[in-house]
Structures are given as structure tokens and as C-alpha cells.
Amino acid sequence: MAPAADDHSLSTPLLSSDHHVVLTVHDQSDLPESTSVSDSNSQALFQPRDEDRHNPFAFIGAHDGFEVPGSGTIDPFRNHTPSIEGLYEWVKIVICLPVAAVRLLLFGLCLAVGYLATLLALHGWKDRQNPMPRWRCRLMWVTRFCARAILFSFGYHWIKRRGRPAPREIAPIVVSNHVSYIDPIFFFYELFPTIVSSESHDSMPFVGTIIRAMQVIYVDRFSRSSRKHAVNEIKRKASCNQFPRVLLFPEGTTSNGRVIISFQLGAFIPGFPVQPVVVRYPYVHFDQSWGNISLGRLMFRMFTQFHNFMEIEYLPLVSPHENRKENAHHFAQRTGHVIASALNVAQTSHSYGDFMLLEKAAESKQENPSLYMVEMAWVQSKLHLRALEAIEFLEIFLSMNPDRSGHVEFHDFLRALKLKPCGLSEKMFGFIDVQKIGKITFKQFLLGSAHILKQPLFHHACELAFSECDMNGKNYILKQELQDAVSLTVPNLNYDEIHGLFSLFDMDNDGKISKDDFIACLRRQPLLIALFAPKLLQRSSSIATQGLVEEVL
């Protein structure tokens, strides 16, 4: 048998025609798991089945009717009293205004004293990788007492506690639900732990200096290497009794205390026993959670309350099963269930990614931003879609001008994708419109786009589509070449229509579409891969035909 050709383009026969060969074209579902789409015969995978003729993405293996779970009505980030309501609250605020001025003065004084004490404790300390010396820790008691005074200024005159912190030797890691900025102030006073914090907090006035004294573990939640380093640091510090215990808020952001959102795994990967702690803020008139309310407004409301209630409950230890060999995900789930049971609330698959989506929708002045949450923890586990990718899809969806209920109609869908009404665009919209009501939601758009993007053949299809459009092998595509390539799927494009589509692909606006532009555009808007299906199917068909010719020879 002759060796395979060096050029594995779609138009090149896979085998020499000097021998009688039968070339079998497999459907993707028939491939063994070890088959790679980068093999020389991968072009023959682009073969839709007859039952998929209404699915414009079947040629890359995307199946119709992808899973779209129902959207819940729970908003775990919503503060339930963002505005002042009722005569009682107004009267109370007026009465407390002089008290608020005194409280503000106390807050500023305590913050300044604590800051100066922390500067003194940190002065001359160079070896930040080892535990803080004892005399410096004793000096930090000044800052810790200032933290308690700050809680007093916010109206937390007494704090109800249940249970006790377990000894550091048997519970090196503490995990808690996260409701307000008050939580870490309390734990700083109570435990003086090492915390895990975003790198951005280091530059905050006063706060950045104080958390450095806590031997903070910095993490960039969007960097895999940073997350890995943070886990290693958690393990290193938790395993050494000379360090303070490690405190983590595994939800990764504040919620309103009415649900427990999905846990990040950083506290559970090291495999140490953890002590769950429950924080409650009972209230009647004023929800103290840090939700859809600004920090300034929340502080003002706290200063103008007679008293703010806070309860802390230390729960029994949760240990990993089988001598630390339990899967971190299951360990996190068990711990989350313990905390949710103690709070008597439900657990959801929301995550910090949902908060990012909520913030993006709010920035865009959407009337109901909570409609754009999708329970990102579930999406990430099923489709391996990162939060930043979901944000990009939301930007595209918001450009479609959704209505008050968060739905987008066909004509707005076409406008955002620079398409015209035709058979293909109707099939593309129908693929996303799983309910067949003529409108799509963001969750449908996100999951449908991600379903296409994560197909094993998607990237391969992008590269082959670029090769087919790049007629002369010059590594870029001109406007006419793009028009010729998509004319089989979207016929009779006028100048404005092709110009709009070309502008979408020409991401750097240099008048030509490079390979990087082309693939980046399709990754951002994977639905557009359907424009190039006929080109790929034609070539794939020619390969099969070539095999039949070889069989007859």
C-alpha cells in the first residue's frame, strides 16, 4: 500500500489509486473512542444522516434537541429590601441619623488605629512564606479589637454564637457561607485566619494591608495556574500548625443567605477535615445581605438601624471518606449539604459566573437582570464552558435587543448575526428555539452555541472551512471569496449584507480575514459554522466518490 499523501486537504485522495481499496465512511457515532479528528481520514466525518436534514449542524455531530433545563425563579444574589420601605423605617432612620454620625466617626477611628497597628506588626517582616512571629501576632490583637469595635459601629452590639471552633490541630480549614462584608470582619476578630482572596483586594486602601497581615493566599479565579498555586498554598498552610487555620468562603461570592450556591473545590482538594460555620442575619425590615445594593447604601442602612442581628453557628467537623481519597467534588457536596441543612435552605447550581452574568445584564439596563442567570456550575460541568465565554455569548445576545421577558425574536437574531431570512437562517434559529415558540431565551442561545462549540469536530471544521475559502493559499480571505463561499447557503447577498458579514469576521478591521480572525469569530459565534457546511459536505462527498472509483478500478 502506498504511503499517505503529505497534503491532507479535502480534495486529496487518502490512498494511492494503484490498488483496489474499499473506503468506508463512518458516521461519527460509529467511531471508536480512540479515533482522533485530526487523523488523515477525518474529513469523511462530515456526513449528516437523513433524519438530521433539518439540523444545520448535524455535519459536525451536533444533535437536535440538546438539553435545556428549565429556568428557576430563584435569585441567590437579590437583596430583598434594597430601598427604604414603610413609615417605621423612615422614622427609625431619622431618629438614628445623629447616632449614625457617631458610628461613622467610631468606624473611621477604629479603622485608622487598626491600620497603624497592622503597619507596625508588618514593619521589617520580610519572610512572608513562613508563619508570622508570635510577637507580631500579639500586636495584631490591637487590630482584632478594632475589628470588633467596627462591628459595634455597624450595629452588631452583641453576636449570638452556637458551638465552638474546633482546635486548629484537628480542623485546619474552616468553610462558611458568605452573605455580607461583615462575615470576614467577624472571622478576622474571632479566628485571625489565613484567607484566600482575589489579587485585586491587595490594592484596596487599608483593607489590602490588613489582609496581608493575615498571610493571605492570593488567587486569580480565571487563571488555572493561579488556582493550582492557591490549592498548593492551602495544603501547605493547613498542614503546618504554626500557621493560622485557613478560612474559605467556597461559594466564591456573597449570596442573600436564602440558598447555598455551588461550592468551589479549593477547600476540599487538599483532603483535610473542615469545620463548617453558618452565618445568619435575622431581620424583619432590613435585609443585610450584600446583593444588588451598593456598598455605600448598605453601610448607610446599617448605621441607621437600632441594632443589627447576627448569629454564628459552628457545626461538627466534616472529614473526607476513605483516608482523604474521597473525590473533592463529593466532599464539597457533602459539606454544602451540611451547611444548607443547618440553614434550612436549598442548594442551587449557581456560581460566581452567574453573578458576572447578572452584573453584565444590569450594566446593559435590562429590566430583570436575573433572567440571564443560567446556573453556571451546571453549565461548566456539562459543557466545560468558562464564565468568560458565557459573558461573551451574553454580549451577543444582548445585542439582539431582548424584550422585557428576556426573549429574542427571529429578525433580531438575524440582525446580530448579519444574516438575511433564508432556509438556513430559519433552521439555525429553529435549532436554538427548542420550545418552537418563535422566540429564544439567553439560556437556549448559550447552551445551543456551547453545544456546537464543544463538538469534537468543531475546530477541525473551522480550519477546513478557512482552507476552502482561501482559494489561493495566501492565508487570508477577501470579501469576494467569503461571498463565494457562503453563496451556497445564503444566496443573493447584496453589498450591504456581505459587507456586514465580512465585518463580523474581520475582527481586526484590516480589510481581510486572517485565519486567526476566522477561527476567533466562529468561536465567538459558533452558529455561523453552518454557513460553510455545503463546502465541507461537497469535499467529504468527493472523498467518498473517490473511494468508490478506486473500488471499481
Side-chain angles (χ1 to χ4, degrees):
M1 183 176 292
D6 291 332
D7 181 12
H8 298 313
S9 68
L10 285 174
S11 60
T12 303
L14 298 176
L15 299 171
S16 170
S17 58
D18 295 336
H19 300 274
H20 304 293
V21 185
V22 176
L23 178 62
T24 303
V25 179
H26 293 279
D27 185 85
Q28 185 187 9
S29 61
D30 298 329
L31 291 171
E33 291 184 2
S34 59
T35 301
S36 170
V37 296
S38 61
D39 292 339
S40 59
N41 65 342
S42 61
Q43 294 91 334
L45 296 176
F46 300 113
Q47 292 290 343
R49 299 166 298 182
D50 289 341
E51 59 267 30
D52 289 326
R53 62 186 180 275
H54 296 301
N55 178 359
F57 307 103
F59 73 103
I60 59 170
H63 59 81
D64 205 355
F66 54 91
E67 184 180 2
V68 181
S71 297
T73 58
I74 295 175
D75 182 351
F77 310 110
R78 179 170 173 257
N79 182 294
H80 287 266
T81 58
S83 57
I84 302 170
E85 298 176 354
L87 179 62
Y88 172 76
E89 275 298 292
W90 281 106
V91 171
K92 180 169 59 177
I93 287 173
V94 171
I95 294 174
C96 287
L97 279 176
V99 178
V102 176
R103 287 176 170 178
L104 182 60
L105 182 63
L106 176 63
F107 167 75
L109 178 63
C110 292
L111 186 61
V113 172
Y115 175 70
L116 292 175
T118 304
L119 283 180
L120 186 59
L122 292 177
H123 181 70
W125 184 37
K126 304 297 183 183
D127 188 12
R128 302 293 177 87
Q129 293 301 309
N130 290 315
M132 178 180 279
R134 287 187 178 275
W135 73 267
R136 296 181 185 273
C137 290
R138 292 191 184 100
L139 189 55
M140 285 300 299
W141 268 106
V142 176
T143 309
R144 294 173 68 176
F145 282 127
C146 287
R148 183 61 187 92
I150 287 174
L151 292 176
F152 187 89
S153 72
F154 279 118
Y156 299 95
H157 307 124
W158 63 87
I159 297 172
K160 185 176 181 180
R161 294 174 177 82
R162 297 178 184 172
R164 284 186 170 185
R168 192 251 181 255
E169 293 75 16
I170 64 173
I173 297 177
V174 174
V175 296
S176 172
N177 62 314
H178 195 10
V179 181
S180 172
Y181 64 87
I182 296 297
D183 314 341
I185 298 176
F186 169 82
F187 285 117
F188 172 78
Y189 161 70
E190 179 94 341
L191 303 175
F192 190 51
T194 290
I195 63 170
V196 178
S197 175
S198 170
E199 292 177 339
S200 62
H201 292 164
D202 185 67
S203 59
M204 294 177 64
F206 301 104
V207 175
T209 300
I210 293 173
I211 65 175
R212 280 197 293 274
M214 300 170 72
Q215 298 187 268
V216 61
I217 300 171
Y218 290 115
V219 62
D220 177 358
R221 70 177 82 219
F222 302 115
S223 167
R224 179 173 295 182
S225 61
S226 178
R227 295 197 304 269
K228 184 177 180 180
H229 172 73
V231 170
N232 291 335
E233 282 294 287
I234 292 170
K235 186 173 183 179
R236 183 177 75 89
K237 294 186 175 181
S239 63
C240 176
N241 287 331
Q242 301 305 312
F243 281 104
R245 70 190 80 211
V246 181
L247 168 69
L248 295 104
F249 298 106
E251 292 174 290
T253 186
T254 55
S255 64
N256 58 17
R258 300 189 174 207
V259 298
I260 292 296
I261 65 176
S262 64
F263 277 9
Q264 305 297 311
L265 302 183
F268 309 98
I269 293 174
F272 292 101
V274 302
Q275 181 172 27
V277 184
V278 167
V279 181
R280 301 183 184 90
Y281 294 89
Y283 75 93
V284 175
H285 301 284
F286 166 51
D287 182 358
Q288 300 155 60
S289 66
W290 194 3
N292 56 325
I293 182 172
S294 68
L295 177 60
R297 179 181 296 182
L298 188 61
M299 290 177 65
F300 174 78
R301 295 294 302 277
M302 286 181 176
F303 282 143
T304 53
Q305 300 294 310
F306 294 132
H307 174 74
N308 288 310
F309 292 90
M310 181 180 186
E311 297 177 358
I312 302 294
E313 182 177 1
Y314 293 95
L315 302 177
L317 267 64
V318 179
S319 299
H321 291 156
E322 300 179 12
N323 298 321
R324 301 185 180 180
K325 294 182 180 179
E326 181 182 18
N327 179 285
H329 180 70
H330 293 156
F331 188 15
Q333 281 188 324
R334 284 198 300 118
T335 308
H337 179 70
V338 168
I339 293 178
S341 297
L343 287 169
N344 194 27
V345 299
Q347 291 177 270
T348 73
S349 293
H350 294 90
S351 72
Y352 180 72
D354 288 286
F355 181 73
M356 293 173 65
L357 293 171
L358 184 74
E359 289 277 278
K360 187 67 178 179
E363 288 174 8
S364 300
K365 309 298 182 184
Q366 296 301 308
E367 187 169 332
N368 190 355
S370 61
L371 292 172
Y372 301 93
M373 292 188 294
V374 295
E375 300 197 52
M376 272 301 300
W378 181 88
V379 173
Q380 288 174 312
S381 66
K382 291 292 184 180
L383 297 170
H384 308 290
L385 189 77
R386 296 179 293 113
L388 293 179
E389 292 178 300
I391 291 293
E392 290 184 347
F393 285 124
L394 179 58
E395 289 175 351
I396 296 170
F397 188 82
L398 293 176
S399 72
M400 299 178 187
N401 192 29
D403 61 22
R404 296 173 62 183
S405 64
H407 287 84
V408 162
E409 297 185 356
F410 181 52
H411 64 277
D412 290 315
F413 171 83
L414 295 183
R415 176 176 48 79
L417 296 185
K418 309 299 183 185
L419 297 176
K420 60 184 290 187
C422 64
L424 175 67
S425 59
E426 290 175 357
K427 290 179 181 179
M428 291 167 65
F429 187 80
F431 179 84
I432 300 296
D433 181 17
V434 293
Q435 294 181 322
K436 308 305 177 188
I437 62 173
K439 296 180 179 181
I440 60 173
T441 64
F442 171 63
K443 179 178 262 191
Q444 293 169 350
F445 177 74
L446 174 70
L447 297 183
S449 299
H451 177 62
I452 298 163
L453 178 64
K454 300 303 178 179
Q455 290 299 315
L457 283 176
F458 177 79
H459 183 74
H460 191 59
C462 293
E463 293 197 339
L464 290 177
F466 180 82
S467 298
E468 288 302 313
C469 296
D470 180 18
M471 301 298 185
N472 301 319
K474 55 191 177 299
N475 290 323
Y476 60 84
I477 301 170
L478 298 175
K479 187 179 295 185
Q480 185 59 49
E481 290 173 323
L482 181 65
Q483 182 170 4
D484 293 341
V486 303
S487 61
L488 294 175
T489 53
V490 187
N492 304 319
L493 286 170
N494 60 36
Y495 175 82
D496 290 336
E497 290 166 344
I498 189 59
H499 178 74
L501 191 59
F502 183 84
S503 299
L504 204 61
F505 279 90
D506 182 17
M507 301 191 72
D508 56 7
N509 297 314
D510 64 351
K512 55 188 178 183
I513 304 171
S514 66
K515 186 174 182 178
D516 288 343
D517 285 343
F518 189 83
I519 294 177
C521 177
L522 289 176
R523 286 191 61 82
R524 180 175 167 80
Q525 309 204 57
L527 298 175
L528 295 178
I529 191 63
L531 295 173
F532 308 98
K535 281 281 187 182
L536 299 180
L537 293 173
Q538 278 183 349
R539 293 307 184 187
S540 192
S541 177
S542 70
I543 292 173
T545 303
Q546 179 68 36
L548 293 175
V549 171
E550 291 171 350
E551 183 179 4
V552 174
L553 290 176

